[in-house]
């Protein structure tokens, strides 16, 4: 699994290299990802840790994780997983990072067509407002215009 993250190897090649079937290689990959995901902090835990460390601020930004084989369409007929901004298919995640850029929290994935402000409203703005009021502001780019002060 670590080779998949580090080298972006194809799962079939990983299975072949280790003498297991492609199906088993996929199963091991997904099990490993589940183990890693279970260790990720919840948003409130990440904000509490940042306050405890007396960080001066956090940053919020969205990123598109490229993907293929996504064909879901919205009610208007457009591809939900296509990002017009990036001109590719993928998933939008929101990332809260410390001043050094180290990720402290990531949101669940949304379709690539989802705007950053929409995803942030869904997953993190509600917790970031009280944190800002308590002295831990969050900096964000123009994609979050209209989110409010804090």
């Amino acid at each position: 699994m670590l080779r998949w993250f580090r080298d972006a190897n194809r799962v079939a090649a990983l299975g072949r290299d280790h003498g297991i079937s492609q199906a088993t290689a996929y199963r091991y990959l997904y099990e490993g990802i589940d183990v890693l995901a279970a260790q990720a902090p919840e948003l409130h835990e990440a904000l509490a840790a940042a306050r405890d460390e007396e960080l001066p601020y956090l940053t919020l930004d969205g990123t598109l994780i490229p993907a293929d084989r996504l064909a879901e369409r919205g009610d208007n007929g457009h591809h939900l997983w296509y990002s017009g901004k990036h001109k590719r298919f993928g998933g939008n995640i929101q990332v809260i990072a410390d001043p050094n850029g180290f990720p402290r929290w990531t949101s669940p994935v949304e379709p690539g067509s989802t705007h950053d402000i929409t995803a942030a409203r869904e997953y993190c703005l509600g917790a970031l407002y009280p944190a800002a009021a308590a002295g831990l502001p969050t900096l964000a780019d123009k994609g979050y215009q209209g989110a409010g002060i804090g």
Side-chain angles (χ1 to χ4, degrees), residues 15-76:
R16 182 194 65 237
D17 292 350
H18 296 282
I20 58 176
S21 71
Q22 183 174 345
T24 301
Y26 271 107
R27 190 178 82 239
Y28 288 171
L29 174 65
Y30 294 142
E31 288 173 0
I33 290 171
D34 288 343
V35 168
L36 290 175
Q39 296 178 32
E42 296 294 327
L43 177 57
H44 296 288
E45 295 170 344
L47 293 175
R51 279 192 301 272
D52 291 346
E53 294 172 33
E54 298 180 359
L55 294 179
Y57 62 89
L58 295 171
T59 60
L60 170 64
D61 201 4
T63 189
L64 185 79
I65 304 300
D68 58 4
R69 297 182 181 94
L70 302 167
E72 186 178 1
R73 293 184 181 262
D75 295 335
N76 58 6

Side-chain angles (χ1 to χ4, degrees), residues 23 25 31 49 51 55 57-58 63 73 77 80 82 84 91 95 104 107 116 118 123 129 133 144 148:
E31 288 173 0
R51 279 192 301 272
L55 294 179
Y57 62 89
L58 295 171
T63 189
R73 293 184 181 262
L80 289 177
Y82 185 77
V95 178
R104 295 298 188 115
S107 72
D116 285 344
T118 303
Y123 295 110
Y129 293 140
Y144 300 91

